[in-house]
């Protein structure tokens, strides 16, 4: 179990796990843009307090779970919702997508350099909450020969990689667009990230090759289940070159936009992927993992 610490939110005092700190801080601001998906990491007892006057009626009525959360938000934070019942049903069934908030998407390739970063850029511009990852043990970049790649650890920043290749052979790495790629990457985030080291929750995980898909599924299956929240894992094979990365990024973005507008992601995703296979001529793999 996570260790907890006490956070004061308005008249509330909440025991929150490290994963729930963001939710507590968002609640503290009580803005109209509060994303309900951030509240998933809080436990039932964390969100309502019997000492709080505004929560007493919910606590006494036994509404300590997601319904209670939604009722509290609707009544006390004056958020734009239709009815409490609809809000609660949507949140419990479909999470952030059904509530109208951007999908939390993870895009995964091998080294967090080309395919996942191009998709990260496109999805971010389209308003998705997106993270990019690799699954390799090291980060690899093309070198002067196929058997001589540039290898570094994941904590190496894109800026450090850029300066290292600039020093080694500016002409070569300019000609093969590696410096251009690294320049793009460092504008998106500081360094590559490894999927196996991340414990954040996502609504959707997309991988860019079957080997990476297998590694992601293996990692999810090896984790101790905590919330049992399902997460679709979808693979579309994308060749690791600049042109294919761009085409693949737009395909991933279109898929995410379609999934964002489904009313029941779990039951509709298979039919949606079949349509995409026919449309794109690419094969998709799909499974469901659990947190």
């Amino acid at each position: 179990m996570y260790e907890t610490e006490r956070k004061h939110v308005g008249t509330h005092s909440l025991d929150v796990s490290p994963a729930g700190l963001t939710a507590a801080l968002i609640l503290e601001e009580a803005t109209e843009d509060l994303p309900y998906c951030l509240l998933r990491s809080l436990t039932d007892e964390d969100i309502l307090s019997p000492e709080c006057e505004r929560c007493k009626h919910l606590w006494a009525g036994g509404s300590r779970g997601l319904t209670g959360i939604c009722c509290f938000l609707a009544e006390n934070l004056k958020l734009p919702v239709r009815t409490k019942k609809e809000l609660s049903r949507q949140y419990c069934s479909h999470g952030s997508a059904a509530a109208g908030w951007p999908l939390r998407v993870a895009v995964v390739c091998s080294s967090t350099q080309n395919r996942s970063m191009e998709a990260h850029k496109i999805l971010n511009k389209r308003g998705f909450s997106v993270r990019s990852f690799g699954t390799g043990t090291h980060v690899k970049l093309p070198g002067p020969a196929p058997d001589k790649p540039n290898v570094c650890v994941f904590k190496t920043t894109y800026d450090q990689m850029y300066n290292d290749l600039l020093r080694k052979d500016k002409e070569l790495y300019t000609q093969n667009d590696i410096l251009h790629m690294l320049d793009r990457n460092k504008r998106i985030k500081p360094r590559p990230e490894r999927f196996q080291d991340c414990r954040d929750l996502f609504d959707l995980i997309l991988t860019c090759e079957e080997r990476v898909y297998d590694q992601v599924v293996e990692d999810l299956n090896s984790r101790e289940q905590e919330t049992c929240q399902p997460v679709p894992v979808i693979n579309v094979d994308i060749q690791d070159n600049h042109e294919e990365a761009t085409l693949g990024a737009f395909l991933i973005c279109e898929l995410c936009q379609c999934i964002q507008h489904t009313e029941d992601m779990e039951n509709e995703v298979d039919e949606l992927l079949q349509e995409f296979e026919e449309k794109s001529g690419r094969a998709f793999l799909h499974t469901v993992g659990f947190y």
Side-chain angles (χ1 to χ4, degrees):
M1 294 293 293
Y2 290 118
E3 294 183 2
T4 61
E5 68 176 86
R6 187 160 290 275
K7 299 290 290 186
H8 293 277
V9 183
T11 60
H12 283 63
S13 182
L14 310 177
D15 289 322
V16 299
S17 68
L21 291 179
T22 304
L25 295 174
I26 294 291
L27 269 174
E28 192 170 24
E29 296 181 3
T31 66
E32 289 192 353
D33 293 324
L34 180 76
Y36 302 111
C37 59
L38 290 178
L39 293 170
R40 294 181 185 179
S41 55
L42 297 175
T43 65
D44 292 346
E45 289 76 16
D46 288 336
I47 194 64
L48 298 176
S49 168
E51 289 80 25
C52 174
E53 290 296 328
R54 292 186 294 175
C55 282
K56 272 186 177 179
H57 63 292
L58 293 175
W59 190 278
S63 299
R64 305 180 187 183
L66 292 172
T67 300
I69 294 172
C70 295
C71 289
F72 170 76
L73 293 174
E75 290 185 354
N76 297 294
L77 299 187
K78 309 301 181 186
L79 296 178
V81 298
R82 287 178 290 176
T83 68
K84 300 172 195 174
K85 184 176 181 181
E86 288 175 330
L87 177 58
S88 177
R89 182 173 63 249
Q90 287 182 336
Y91 178 82
C92 296
S93 300
H94 313 304
S96 59
W101 303 105
L103 284 173
R104 297 170 300 174
V105 180
V107 187
V108 193
C109 64
S110 181
S111 291
T112 334
Q113 292 289 352
N114 184 30
R115 295 164 293 180
S116 65
M117 291 300 289
E118 183 67 18
H120 187 146
K121 181 185 75 172
I122 299 297
L123 288 169
N124 189 54
K125 287 183 177 180
R126 298 296 189 274
F128 289 93
S129 174
V130 58
R131 297 273 300 278
S132 48
F133 298 97
T135 56
T137 54
H138 294 85
V139 173
K140 293 183 179 181
L141 288 166
D147 60 341
K148 296 180 180 179
N150 291 283
V151 181
C152 56
V153 296
F154 269 85
K155 68 179 181 180
T156 309
T157 67
Y158 292 119
D159 195 52
Q160 289 172 325
M161 297 177 203
Y162 182 94
N163 290 329
D164 181 54
L165 298 187
L166 191 67
R167 176 183 56 82
K168 287 180 176 178
D169 194 331
K170 179 180 179 180
E171 183 178 354
L172 171 64
Y173 296 113
T174 298
Q175 186 176 14
N176 63 13
D177 281 337
I178 299 300
L179 289 178
H180 175 76
M181 180 185 72
L182 289 171
D183 185 61
R184 175 206 61 194
N185 292 352
K186 65 183 182 179
R187 296 172 189 271
I188 296 173
K189 63 180 188 179
R191 57 176 55 83
E193 297 173 271
R194 193 166 182 262
F195 179 81
Q196 293 91 329
D197 297 331
C198 177
R199 288 298 179 264
D200 292 345
L201 274 61
F202 298 96
D203 299 309
L204 177 64
I205 299 173
L206 292 151
T207 61
C208 301
E209 66 175 273
E210 188 171 350
R211 178 176 59 87
V212 172
Y213 171 84
D214 291 338
Q215 291 170 328
V216 167
V217 173
E218 180 183 7
D219 179 70
L220 289 174
N221 289 338
S222 70
R223 300 182 187 185
E224 182 179 351
Q225 290 188 7
E226 297 178 355
T227 67
C228 292
Q229 174 188 319
V231 55
V233 184
I234 299 172
N235 180 74
V236 54
D237 282 328
I238 301 171
Q239 292 183 36
D240 195 4
N241 60 59
H242 301 301
E243 294 77 13
E244 282 294 313
T246 300
L247 293 174
F250 281 107
L251 181 64
I252 285 174
C253 183
E254 185 180 357
L255 176 60
C256 288
Q257 288 173 324
C258 290
I259 290 176
Q260 175 79 47
H261 291 97
T262 59
E263 294 186 0
D264 190 340
M265 186 187 342
E266 287 186 45
N267 291 324
E268 295 181 36
V269 68
D270 284 331
E271 182 178 348
L272 184 61
L273 290 178
Q274 185 176 350
E275 293 176 4
F276 266 76
E277 284 186 346
E278 295 172 356
K279 178 180 178 180
S280 67
R282 298 174 185 250
F284 288 77
L285 296 174
H286 169 234
T287 190
V288 177
F290 294 89
Y291 286 111

